[in-house]
Amino acid sequence: RIIKQLVANPPPDPIALNPNLSKGLAEITLKCLEKKQTDRYHSAKLLAADLQKEINSGKLKLKAKSFLGRFGLGGGKKK
């Protein structure tokens, strides 16, 4: 039953779930959740690039910069 719902229904709008999300982050989230593999990110590198653009836009308020910094995002130290 749950799997049928996941396959048949689109995911909820992330902004409806959290109005504090930026439009860009909501779009990135929805792209990650696309049902067709060809509509999702083709690599983690492409996802990271879009996340970095969103971070650099200044519209994203991060509370977990140190966590994202582990991945070279959000101005944290790169390893």
Side-chain angles (χ1 to χ4, degrees):
R1 179 179 173 185
I2 292 173
I3 292 181
K4 286 182 183 180
Q5 288 179 340
L6 289 172
V7 172
N9 300 326
D13 178 11
I15 294 175
L17 298 173
N18 182 349
N20 296 320
L21 286 179
S22 67
K23 183 179 178 189
L25 187 56
E27 289 172 357
I28 291 168
T29 302
L30 290 173
K31 186 169 182 173
C32 290
L33 296 172
E34 283 289 342
K35 299 200 184 307
K36 288 184 182 178
Q37 181 180 2
T38 55
D39 293 337
R40 294 190 298 263
Y41 286 99
H42 296 143
S43 70
K45 190 173 185 175
L46 292 173
L47 170 59
D50 276 358
L51 286 170
Q52 189 64 58
K53 285 180 198 173
E54 187 63 17
I55 290 167
N56 293 341
S57 76
K59 296 176 185 174
L60 185 62
K61 294 182 174 89
L62 296 176
K63 293 183 181 176
K65 287 186 181 180
S66 62
F67 173 78
L68 292 174
R70 293 181 205 163
F71 302 99
L73 302 169
K77 293 181 182 178
K78 291 184 181 181
K79 290 188 174 183

